Amino acid sequence: MSEQLHLTHVKPEDIEATSFEIISRELGPLDLDPQTELVVKRVIHTTADFDYAKTLTFTAHAVERGVEALRNGATVITDTSMVAAGINKRVLGSFGGQVCTFIADADVAAEAKRRGLTRSAVSMERAAQLPGTLVFAIGNAPTALVSLARMLNDGSLPRPALIIGVPVGFVNVVESKELIMATDVESIVARGRKGGSNVAAAIVNALLYLASGNRRE
């Protein structure tokens, strides 16, 4: 006979708040930087993976610059439609911002095939031509980060406000993240192999909540 399950009764409207209470409790004595705490907890909430409390790496002004850029109507560039789908466009739009992704464009695919590159790499080149303040949210393709690092080094990419580099996988994932951290651009990077489109979207949403003055905890 299976053991009886003991479920915790939580009102639907209280589930998120209860989740954050559990996260805070299970983090225990781990001392999080107050400036980055919400971002870390939002990623843990999305993934149920407490490793991010140690692997998420922030440059000195990453959160500050990201929040400022989003509040001033930055364009968020993503490497996948999944990242774009996960971003709170209502809040982003309230600041005059938008999400752009070129990964599914036919001409990007054709150029990538002709040059022997990934669509992600070419889509970053396309994004570099956009006007205004840019925030890059990369959750899947290390080649997107490699492309960004190359363009930053050769001067073909105007300095973005923030790069979120959290691709997941095994091939050049760790190395591509290190390339971004070696630049002088503000960044939020998940060191190691872990990451994903959901993580990239969660980071953008955490910054949007901070920009709107709503910590959502």
Side-chain angles (χ1 to χ4, degrees), residues 8-23 25 42 45 216-217:
T8 301
H9 177 68
V10 180
K11 295 180 180 179
E13 62 270 23
D14 295 335
I15 290 176
E16 183 173 85
T18 302
S19 295
F20 275 97
E21 290 172 4
I22 293 170
I23 290 168
R25 185 167 65 247
R42 180 63 49 184
H45 178 261
R216 290 289 296 270
E217 287 188 72

Side-chain angles (χ1 to χ4, degrees), residues 192-207:
R193 293 173 170 175
K194 291 183 179 181
S197 296
N198 59 334
V199 175
I203 292 172
V204 174
N205 287 337
L207 297 175

Side-chain angles (χ1 to χ4, degrees), residues 117-141:
L117 300 174
T118 66
R119 289 183 298 159
S120 298
V122 175
S123 69
M124 293 301 107
E125 295 177 356
R126 189 65 52 84
Q129 301 171 28
L130 293 175
T133 303
L134 304 181
V135 170
F136 287 89
I138 310 303
N140 183 71

Side-chain angles (χ1 to χ4, degrees), residues 59-182:
T59 53
H61 304 289
V63 172
E64 177 186 353
R65 296 288 185 269
V67 167
E68 179 183 22
L70 294 172
R71 190 177 284 149
N72 289 325
T75 298
V76 179
I77 307 297
T78 71
D79 63 327
T80 67
S81 299
M82 288 181 64
V83 179
I87 292 172
N88 190 325
K89 298 176 190 63
R90 179 187 62 80
V91 177
L92 179 61
S94 72
F95 296 121
Q98 62 178 335
V99 178
C100 286
T101 182
F102 300 100
I103 194 69
D105 289 8
D107 57 341
V108 167
E111 182 176 347
K113 184 176 181 179
R114 177 176 59 81
R115 295 169 58 192
L117 300 174
T118 66
R119 289 183 298 159
S120 298
V122 175
S123 69
M124 293 301 107
E125 295 177 356
R126 189 65 52 84
Q129 301 171 28
L130 293 175
T133 303
L134 304 181
V135 170
F136 287 89
I138 310 303
N140 183 71
T143 55
L145 292 186
V146 173
S147 182
L148 291 176
R150 175 184 57 77
M151 289 188 292
L152 286 168
N153 289 331
D154 68 20
S156 58
L157 172 64
R159 185 185 181 91
L162 176 68
I163 296 176
I164 297 167
V166 293
V168 60
F170 299 93
V171 179
N172 292 329
V173 169
V174 174
E175 294 82 359
S176 68
K177 294 173 180 177
E178 296 294 328
L179 282 175
I180 293 302
M181 288 190 290

Side-chain angles (χ1 to χ4, degrees), residues 38 47 59 208:
L38 175 65
T47 63
T59 53
L208 284 170

Side-chain angles (χ1 to χ4, degrees), residues 33-55:
D33 184 334
Q35 188 178 43
T36 63
E37 180 179 3
L38 175 65
V39 178
V40 173
K41 288 183 176 179
R42 180 63 49 184
V43 171
I44 293 173
H45 178 261
T46 297
T47 63
D49 189 339
F50 283 83
D51 282 353
Y52 287 106
K54 298 178 180 179
T55 61

